[in-house]
Amino acid sequence: MKTKLLLAPVAALLATVCHPAIAREAIDADRMVADVKTLSSDTFEGRAPGTVGEERTIGYLIARFQDIGLQPAGPDGQWVQKVPLLHTTLGAPKTLAFAGPKGAMPVAVGKDVYVSTLRPDDTARIAGAPVVFVGYGVNAPERGWDDFKGMDLKGKLVVFLINDPDFYAKKGEPAAGKFGGRTMTYYGRWTYKFEEAARQGAVGALIVHDTAGAGYGWNVVTSPGGENYDIVRSKDKLTSLALQGWLSADASTRLFASAGLDLAKLSTAARRPDFKPVELKGVTFDAEVPVNHEEVMSHNVLAQIPGTTRKDEVVMFGAHWDAYGKGAPDAQGRIYRAGANDDGIGIAGILDIARVMKSEPAPQRTVVFAAWTAEERGLLGSEFYAANPVFPMEKTVANLTIDVLQTAGAANDVTVIGKGQDTLEDDMARVAATQGRRVTVESLPERGLFYRADHFSFAKRGVPVMLMMGLAGAADLKDGGVKAGQAWIDAYTGQCYHQACDAWSPDWKMEGAVQDVELIRTIGEELAGSAKWPQWKPGSEFKAVRDTSDAVRK
């Protein structure tokens, strides 16, 4: 990407949001709204990686950080970190069907099945693959659980259930409590399931869709439109899965019935540790789907306020700049899925945190502001950084992430996501109290939000994290209470999440979003001005990783 392409459209755009530098002040809702309106405008074409929309977004962010007075924090003193991505798009299938004892069973893309690929092949081809049900697709020896039981899955299509084996388990069942009860573990995430299917040698993998277990409806599953992204990998590191995706609940039930099997009964059986894979006898899967694939050079944007006395220790704020780009016109004719709230508002939040922190005396520790690419494609920008860090993970004090904030007004509470993970939740409670707010635990921990945002790339490498996300629970709004907070979530997730209507609206009430940004800003400022190291709590799966580098921090 050439600098002139990055910066060409920026001058005019900055005029809509930039203000003269002033003394330290509170987070400014008007400034945040100005950034959101700009980033979600048609000029940025939905901010998809590898497009003109990315060029304009990157240029805009660099110019904003420069205007605030920050320094570049990327490799070799650059503003950006290059993130090589594989971008795939499926064409119309020549073949996509199951065959069973009673003949062919075609499936309609978008209605019955949704698939994509992470392989740079011209054609995604699966020929006569036997179909095997592998329960929840979990291989967790530390929990005494193995859904695969050594079965050879090479060349086969696996079908599995979403979430953890104990998601629907009743008291007294063998699975009950094995995986945190209703709180999702990483084993429940679709990303883990596809990764494990590939490790087991499968040629394809499909998850039975279940709105309760997934945490979102079929409309969210199909929203990428056959596109997928991955970090560019060498041939020996490519996934074995020619196709991966989802089966609708109805199509899954029909498929199993064609083999004389009852999916509901098998789902119950899968909640036992002695479950063994079940082959759908006589059922095979064939697919021949053209694939358009390209390597796309995308970019993380990294800015910093250098520390004074502890500059090698880093406090990081993060949000993702990408959204879903161009799509089919909605009822109003809008084609750009521009992500005003997901995550334009997060980017606006870290920009304003950067502004107010730059107006203060320089912090003891270095503060990094990261705008990640390809979060919507699988947390790829943050994952690439975490695997290729500019600042060592061992000396990264905390990652503080903003990803979607509620825009329904001031709240009496704030939601903690991943309760029991680290001591940052204690800081959250303390700072929230100074705002006259209390902490509420996320209402649907089974949705696994802790594993679904960019902070997770840091958590699994041992860095303590905090995620601020308005989707985690119905806010107790000062105007309308929890009922009004739930109404906002229902409207947003049911209609606009990953859709063109995720657009700025004059109906937005920014007070609650500002409360959350002020809270996370305060925690970051405290960490940046101290020698304090947040800690993972006993029982966290990430504590052991951090413990291995304790000596570095002493």
Side-chain angles (χ1 to χ4, degrees), residues 520-537:
I520 206 167
R521 162 215 181 172
T522 300
I523 291 173
E525 285 178 338
E526 289 180 352
L527 293 174
S530 73
K532 177 182 176 182
W533 293 95
Q535 301 294 316
W536 293 101
K537 295 192 173 186

Side-chain angles (χ1 to χ4, degrees), residues 120-138:
D121 302 324
D122 294 334
T123 303
R125 184 177 284 109
I126 298 176
V131 180
V132 182
F133 175 61
V134 292
Y136 284 87
V138 172

